[in-house]
Amino acid sequence: GAGVSQTPSNKVTEKGKYVELRCDPISGHTALYWYRQSLGQGPEFLIYFQGTGAADDSGLPNDRFFAVRPEGSVSTLKIQRTERGDSAVYLCASSPSGSTDTQYFGPGTRLTVL
Amino acid sequence: KQEVTQIPAALSVPEGENLVLNCSFTDSAIYNLQWFRQDPGKGLTSLLLIQSSQREQTSGRLNASLDKSSGRSTLYIAASQPGDSATYLCAVEGGQGAQKLVFGQGTRLTINP
């Protein structure tokens, strides 16, 4: 079956612009996660959804970052007023139900803010 | 706050050698520990998941151990091959309802033919 997909694969934007990053999880997976990976570092947690609700958004760095999952499947990560420091690879993962399950990762979206 | 450390940061060995990658974590209250592989420009592929009640998991030439009380895990790769070259990441899933993974910074492994 299809894995986790993310679009776009690459996004280049200018400082101050708004961007949206999309994640399509594995069908039937109720848990969805967003992580951010800077060059040479491990991924850092941003937000976790269980179904439609954000169960843990403690990793969002500030209020410029927001994520939604309105129908419990596709999720969109939204970044307002982008800054150069937002440049990173944004990874999405899903798992069947959450705790103790293997998380399956997508290929990521590389965001570059000029 | 959970912190995960991986040593070494980079490792280069000749083909055929057995090798060990190390991972340590500061808070022993974890649900599980996972080892991932990441190829350049790619996402993460899960290699092994060890539940907190388990001591080790094996898959082919890979063996991962977990010593929760001491906050340590090792990934053993037997008979290394050039195709094993990648970055290996260790991640723990926290207890107390925390679903998120906390990652180490990774070990960049190069296997030389």
Side-chain angles (χ1 to χ4, degrees), chain A residues 35 37 42 45 48 99-100, chain B residues 32 38 51 93 99-101 104:
Chain A
Y35 295 85
Q37 186 175 25
F45 170 80
Y48 156 58
S99 181
T100 76
Chain B
N32 61 53
Q38 187 172 32
Q51 302 290 356
E93 182 173 352
Q99 309 292 340
K100 61 188 178 185
L101 293 177

Side-chain angles (χ1 to χ4, degrees), chain B:
Chain B
K1 177 187 173 186
Q2 178 73 268
E3 293 183 0
V4 179
T5 303
Q6 290 186 246
I7 295 173
L11 182 63
S12 180
V13 301
E15 180 178 4
E17 282 201 3
N18 303 325
L19 57 98
V20 174
L21 307 181
N22 296 291
C23 171
S24 62
F25 47 96
T26 55
D27 185 349
S28 62
I30 63 169
Y31 277 138
N32 61 53
L33 182 144
Q34 285 185 256
W35 283 92
F36 291 88
R37 169 187 173 134
Q38 187 172 32
D39 293 282
K42 305 288 186 182
L44 279 65
T45 301
S46 180
L47 298 173
L48 291 164
L49 182 150
I50 311 176
Q51 302 290 356
S52 62
S53 59
Q54 298 174 323
R55 298 284 294 185
E56 66 177 339
Q57 282 285 340
T58 298
S59 176
R61 294 182 295 108
L62 305 179
N63 176 275
S65 67
L66 173 63
D67 185 341
K68 203 172 77 158
S69 61
S70 68
R72 293 179 184 174
S73 176
T74 61
L75 179 66
Y76 175 83
I77 303 176
S80 58
Q81 302 171 358
D84 295 331
S85 297
T87 295
Y88 290 80
L89 292 155
C90 163
V92 297
E93 182 173 352
Q96 293 135 20
Q99 309 292 340
K100 61 188 178 185
L101 293 177
V102 179
F103 284 85
Q105 74 275 31
T107 293
R108 189 172 68 254
L109 177 63
T110 303
I111 306 299
N112 301 303

Side-chain angles (χ1 to χ4, degrees), chain A residues 20-112:
Chain A
E20 290 189 351
L21 311 178
R22 176 186 167 109
C23 172
D24 281 85
I26 293 172
S27 178
H29 282 194
T30 61
L32 184 146
Y33 310 79
W34 284 99
Y35 295 85
R36 178 169 72 173
Q37 186 175 25
S38 300
L39 192 63
Q41 302 297 315
E44 292 181 311
F45 170 80
L46 295 176
I47 186 169
Y48 156 58
F49 287 90
Q50 184 59 254
T52 60
D56 183 352
D57 64 357
S58 62
L60 295 177
N62 51 60
D63 61 5
R64 294 187 298 106
F65 289 75
F66 190 71
V68 295
R69 194 186 185 199
E71 298 178 357
S73 179
V74 170
S75 176
T76 304
L77 179 65
K78 308 180 180 191
I79 310 174
Q80 299 178 324
R81 304 184 303 281
T82 51
E83 300 177 355
R84 292 193 179 88
D86 298 335
S87 296
V89 176
Y90 289 80
L91 295 165
C92 176
S94 70
S95 70
S97 61
S99 181
T100 76
D101 288 332
T102 296
Q103 293 185 21
Y104 297 88
F105 281 77
T109 293
R110 181 175 298 278
L111 175 66
T112 303

